[in-house]
Amino acid sequence: MQNKPISTLMIPGPVEISPEVAKSFAEPIASHVSPKIIEAHGSALEGMRKVWLAGADSQPFVIAGSGTIAMEMAATNTLEPGDTAVVMNSGYFGDRMAKMLVRRGVLVHSVFADEIGGHPSLEKLADILKNHNIRAVFGTHVDTSTGVRLDAQKVAKLAKDAGALSIFDGVCATAGEVFRMEDWEADVYFTASQKALALPPGLALMVVSKSALKRRRGMEVLPPLSLDWLEWLPIMEAYEGRKGSYFSTPPTHLISALNISLSQVLERGIEQVFEDHQSAADLVRAALADMGLTLVPKPGLAANTLSAVYYGDRPQIVQQLKSKGVIIAGGLHPEIKDQYFRIGHMGYSVRDGEDMDRLLSILSGI
Ligand code: PMP
């Protein structure tokens, strides 16, 4: 079995995983209602509340799936056909969210930035909230296609003041970017396992407020059965109470690994982990500036979990890094796809430091 990676994966997800997480996948298979899995599942749910900085009355959900499944779960458990919602669009994943909502029969107001790399206008959001009966406001905490970080705290406040739910896509942010679910009174914050939680892909994760669950209880046009919070709720409650339960077979190895990863984050301390991501982002940005390169996000908007960077006079940078053992990604935003590249700096790579050192030393030498 290969232990040592031949290259370092620094795309914006999936990212490197810790040796402890990797090792857990070699454990023997266990029943989803075995004491071992019950404990891991229950403990992971408790850990999520802490990493999300969510209130004791919030409800975590862990299901098999991708980030897109988490988006679908959030959308279909809060909105019915005929509802109206806002999407704060800062890139590709805002487009996806809007598309998903339209399929659900929701009337969508999309708020865009003036230009790629900008922040969607908070004034426009306030205006729409004032003039329409908005049920929910969606925002991508970090859009992986532009590297822009949304001001989630302000968006949550504007939504709350208008009586709308606030729902954030934290797929490229959770456990990397500061997010205080309880303090900011956000209603849904979802992610996927392959980003800053540093696990293989395969889990859709979210924490949901009491108000959001209440909204689901009042719905008449139900979500798809497999994504329904109310089908999953008794399962999550059972596991948290350290009892086995069944609705749809959980991905047991991934759930054990999730528990390990959350413990590692909490051992370091979530505030420290936020700082780790800030420092890593500062270092990468300084190296890129030294190379004369320009970021896609406008000043002050760049996320800490990834850097989206125009090629400038370095059109070969993705291949250059690859030849030195670090894998980074090309562009994703359809309008500028061929003009920029992306480096993921999140999760274990950032907490551990070795991968960051490798990246920085290569950047300084090319
Ligand atoms: N939202 C954001 C911000 C993402 O970065 C991604 C994945 N890159 C997704 C949603 C979708 O996640 P997945 O690819 O796991 O479906």
Side-chain angles (χ1 to χ4, degrees):
M1 205 184 355
Q2 177 119 34
N3 288 321
K4 221 167 163 37
I6 41 170
S7 56
T8 306
L9 190 58
M10 298 193 81
I11 62 174
V15 292
E16 290 294 330
I17 58 178
S18 73
E20 295 77 17
V21 163
K23 245 175 77 185
S24 73
F25 286 93
E27 289 281 314
I29 189 80
S31 158
H32 58 291
V33 289
S34 61
K36 180 180 156 178
I37 299 301
I38 290 175
E39 179 51 35
H41 203 319
S43 164
L45 292 166
E46 290 164 0
M48 280 174 68
R49 250 190 231 98
K50 293 181 191 151
V51 169
W52 268 240
L53 296 170
D57 62 353
S58 65
Q59 181 58 52
F61 291 93
V62 175
I63 67 160
S66 61
T68 305
I69 300 284
M71 293 168 81
E72 198 100 51
M73 193 184 215
T76 57
N77 279 274
T78 52
L79 293 168
E80 290 175 280
D83 282 341
T84 307
V86 181
V87 172
M88 295 295 276
N89 187 318
S90 47
Y92 179 93
F93 290 101
D95 291 347
R96 177 171 296 184
M97 194 73 246
K99 192 172 171 185
M100 211 175 246
L101 291 171
V102 168
R103 283 209 184 177
R104 175 83 173 148
V106 172
L107 179 73
V108 177
H109 294 264
S110 283
V111 179
F112 294 91
D114 289 341
E115 50 185 332
I116 293 171
H119 194 288
S121 162
L122 291 167
E123 291 74 33
K124 272 192 201 144
L125 171 61
D127 201 48
I128 294 170
L129 285 166
K130 209 166 99 194
N131 294 307
H132 299 270
N133 184 17
I134 302 298
R135 178 79 79 173
V137 179
F138 289 77
T140 314
H141 193 193
V142 170
D143 197 294
T144 323
S145 72
T146 54
V148 168
R149 179 177 53 228
L150 200 72
D151 190 336
Q153 184 175 7
K154 285 209 181 115
V155 171
K157 168 114 181 65
L158 286 168
K160 183 88 191 165
D161 291 348
L165 297 172
S166 64
I167 298 170
F168 296 98
D169 172 344
V171 173
C172 198
T174 309
E177 302 285 352
V178 175
F179 193 90
R180 306 185 186 285
M181 186 159 176
E182 183 174 27
D183 290 357
W184 297 356
E185 299 185 280
D187 289 295
V188 181
Y189 193 42
F190 62 81
T191 190
S193 45
Q194 74 272 21
K195 305 273 184 165
L197 282 168
L199 295 159
L203 290 177
L205 306 158
M206 72 186 59
V207 179
V208 169
S209 74
K210 251 174 107 169
S211 315
L213 263 183
K214 186 170 165 217
R215 165 66 190 139
R216 163 62 194 92
R217 287 200 173 92
M219 279 178 26
E220 280 168 17
V221 183
L222 304 184
L225 188 81
S226 62
L227 301 181
D228 189 348
W229 285 342
L230 294 189
E231 297 291 341
W232 284 106
L233 182 62
I235 310 304
M236 299 300 136
E237 287 174 341
Y239 276 110
E240 209 171 340
R242 303 304 192 265
K243 288 190 211 75
S245 195
Y246 171 75
F247 167 58
S248 169
T249 312
T252 45
H253 269 80
L254 273 168
I255 288 173
S256 294
L258 170 65
N259 189 40
I260 295 169
S261 158
L262 290 166
S263 308
Q264 289 177 335
V265 168
L266 292 169
E267 229 165 78
R268 182 135 178 91
I270 185 65
E271 300 294 342
Q272 182 58 53
V273 169
F274 292 151
E275 276 177 36
D276 293 342
H277 283 80
Q278 176 74 62
S279 319
D282 289 347
L283 288 168
V284 174
R285 243 81 92 177
L288 295 167
D290 282 350
M291 294 167 77
L293 297 175
T294 310
L295 298 179
V296 174
K298 303 297 163 207
L301 297 181
N304 288 339
T305 48
L306 86 154
S307 292
V309 194
Y310 288 109
Y311 284 118
D313 60 359
R314 311 268 181 163
Q316 297 304 319
I317 192 163
V318 176
Q319 290 76 11
Q320 277 178 307
L321 263 76
K322 188 174 174 197
S323 73
K324 293 181 185 299
V326 173
I327 312 291
I328 62 169
L332 176 64
H333 194 296
E335 283 175 47
I336 53 167
K337 198 174 182 324
D338 299 327
Q339 297 167 32
Y340 76 112
F341 63 96
R342 295 170 305 146
I343 305 177
H345 30 84
M346 64 185 121
Y348 176 69
S349 286
V350 169
R351 284 185 266 131
D352 180 62
E354 249 178 55
D355 297 340
M356 281 299 299
D357 294 345
R358 188 172 189 192
L359 171 72
L360 293 167
S361 90
I362 295 171
L363 287 178
S364 69
I366 58 173

